[in-house]
Amino acid sequence: MWTSDDLESLVKRDLSDYRLIVVSNRQPYVFNIDQYGNLHSEMPPGGLTAAIDPLMRASGGAWIAQSSSAADREVMDPRGRIPVPYESPAYTMRLLNISEYENRGYYSGFANEGLWPLCHIAHTEPIFDSEHYDCYQTVNRRFADLVLDEIDDDPAIVLIQDYHLALLPRYIREANQDAVIGQFWHIPWPNPDIFRICPWQDDILDGMLANDLLGFHIPSYCRNFLDCVDTYLDAQVHPDRGRVDYGDETTLVRSIPISIDFDSIDAEARTPEVEAEMLRLSRQLGLNRGRILGLGIDRQDYIKGIPHRLRAVERLLEQWPEYHGRLVFLQVGAPSRTDIDAFRQHNIDIENTVNRINERFGREDWQPILHWPTTLPSPTFSALRRLADFCVVSSLHDGMNLVAKEYVASRVDEDGVLILSEFAGAAHELADSLIVNPYATKQFADAIHQALNMDVAERRRRMRKMRDIVRENNIYKWAGSIMQPLMKASASDHSRLVSTA
């Protein structure tokens, strides 16, 4: 099983004279100033930073990202550099300040009103605005300028994250033919008929084919990408080898499913702090009086299928009235991207659905749906995952969905049932969950009923198998699976990755 120490050893042993440059929209450490004027830094939650931080500590490289707050400017030097971790520096974070206008076009506009719904096939019309695309190009070029300045013609491996930076590989390659470039795409990739909606489809594909290695979560996303290249570009596509020859460049396309730090989540779930939080929540939610807890934890994003799961709970209450007064379904998660109309309307739809169901079935001493549209401390999330009789992940289309894996890792008692959408990437690994089509409301309600009536031996058999899978295929294995071929290329005569195909 991979660990953070294994990653550090890998880098120290094989990175040679190459610098490691990581590029993402989101920064690995965030800064804030408290009420007394003291500056604090913290690593934001999420597996990506936890996986790559050990690589950066071992390599002493640079992580380039967008600045997120005025507090950043209190600690950065004139070139945007900040030694991190701030209390004990091991590498450099370099931040790009972009204007509000640029952010609206690049991030809110092209990335999240355009590429996000396009790639998620989310039944929300993508908005492709030429002004937004101009900003997207501009910001990608500004990221490229920082990367190239940081490399300064030295040998380098550049690891790029996600859909915000699809053009960046090409901009780097135009100026530096020798850099080894890899990119991981954290969301789905659509088929050619869907992708053709994007007016700049050729530019996006051309940008991404400047990578030596391109990673997606599951094989079907790889196939979709290769089909798009085959349809829209003059390139030689080798689907059986996961390889594209484009001009004099070769790109390997690989399925590398992302995961979580299983051991860290497992360890937190066993702490006295979480145990105490479980007692508090049991009293608050009435679980100590025999109530049953169902759980959903999501950002309020229209791809997550939150109204669909609420309608399934409603159908369950229609069909099996014996759960009236007994079942509590708790939906937790902060609103997301509220500057975008489709996301704001989705938040309204969730609230209206919750109110309608509670008005229909609720009574003075019981509401079937509890809606907490907020973020919670990590121990509270861990306690909720341990308490929940079942957890629902009902994505309409999702790259992976780490909530499913976090629920499994938290279940140190080897109990609980995961109900998982067939349209989430995690369904490819977690086959011992109850797999559902979130659009099929009756089937969905039946799955909840099955979860509530599954005997303890069956629950534990399923959970043990899923825990073994998530423990083995953890976030460090994901990072190692990306870094190994990139470092192999850096150690060669830069014949790219052809020899690893």
Side-chain angles (χ1 to χ4, degrees), residues 109-126:
F110 190 77
N112 285 309
E113 288 187 307
L115 290 178
W116 182 266
L118 180 79
C119 289
H120 285 95
I121 318 174
H123 309 295
T124 294
E125 182 180 349

Side-chain angles (χ1 to χ4, degrees), residues 18 107 243 449 481:
Y18 275 65
Y107 180 80
R243 171 177 160 180
H449 187 256
S481 297

Side-chain angles (χ1 to χ4, degrees), residues 315-435:
R315 179 65 69 88
L316 177 86
L317 296 172
E318 288 174 354
Q319 289 189 253
W320 292 282
E322 60 267 30
Y323 292 107
H324 292 193
R326 292 180 57 210
L327 174 65
V328 174
F329 187 83
L330 173 61
Q331 178 61 46
V332 184
S336 175
R337 301 168 191 156
T338 53
D339 57 329
I340 298 174
D341 288 343
F343 286 84
R344 280 199 303 272
Q345 183 57 52
H346 182 65
N347 295 338
I348 294 170
D349 292 344
I350 291 172
E351 196 63 41
N352 289 341
T353 303
V354 169
N355 291 337
R356 180 180 60 76
I357 295 172
N358 283 338
E359 287 172 5
R360 182 180 178 193
F361 293 103
R363 56 201 193 200
E364 187 175 344
D365 63 340
W366 169 73
Q367 296 290 296
I369 310 293
L370 297 180
H371 183 212
W372 296 354
T374 185
T375 57
L376 296 171
S378 181
T380 304
F381 277 127
S382 186
L384 287 171
R385 290 192 293 261
R386 282 197 58 183
L387 288 169
D389 296 274
F390 64 94
C391 179
V392 177
V393 172
S394 54
S395 308
L396 306 183
H397 201 45
D398 219 342
M400 176 53 63
N401 194 290
L402 297 181
V403 169
K405 296 186 177 185
E406 289 165 349
Y407 178 69
V408 169
S410 296
R411 295 310 301 232
V412 296
D413 58 354
E414 298 183 337
D415 204 348
V417 179
L418 174 63
I419 301 173
L420 180 57
S421 167
E422 65 181 283
F423 305 121
H428 289 252
E429 293 178 86
L430 303 180
D432 282 279
S433 59
L434 298 182
I435 305 293

Side-chain angles (χ1 to χ4, degrees), residues 158-160 165-166 168-170 172-173 179-185 204-215 225 244 249-252 486 496-497:
V158 183
L159 180 57
I160 301 166
L165 301 168
L168 178 57
R170 177 58 60 200
I172 296 171
R173 181 71 69 212
V180 177
I181 309 173
Q183 184 170 21
F184 192 82
W185 194 263
I204 299 296
L205 294 173
D206 174 80
M208 295 173 70
L209 288 178
N211 286 294
D212 295 296
L213 175 70
L214 183 57
F225 179 81
V244 178
E249 299 170 342
T250 293
T251 302
L252 295 187
L486 292 176
R496 296 285 187 257
L497 304 180

Side-chain angles (χ1 to χ4, degrees), residues 26-100:
R26 190 180 186 189
Q27 62 197 78
Y29 287 88
V30 295
F31 295 85
N32 60 78
I33 301 173
D34 66 22
Q35 58 182 326
Y36 305 107
N38 299 314
L39 190 72
H40 301 276
S41 70
E42 61 180 2
M43 183 186 293
L48 176 63
T49 304
I52 297 179
D53 187 69
L55 296 176
M56 301 306 295
R57 288 172 183 261
S59 71
W63 190 320
I64 297 173
Q66 182 187 169
S67 175
S68 64
S69 73
D72 295 335
R73 290 187 280 278
E74 296 288 326
V75 286
M76 67 173 61
D77 69 14
R79 298 179 72 186
R81 288 193 173 108
I82 305 172
V84 291
Y86 193 60
E87 296 76 14
S88 179
Y91 62 94
T92 300
M93 182 170 72
R94 190 165 182 183
L95 299 180
L96 176 67
N97 288 304
I98 68 175
S99 69
E100 183 179 345

Side-chain angles (χ1 to χ4, degrees), residues 137 140-141 144 148 167-176:
Q137 290 176 300
N140 271 247
R141 284 199 180 278
L148 293 166
L167 303 176
L168 178 57
R170 177 58 60 200
Y171 295 159
I172 296 171
R173 181 71 69 212
E174 288 172 346
N176 189 323

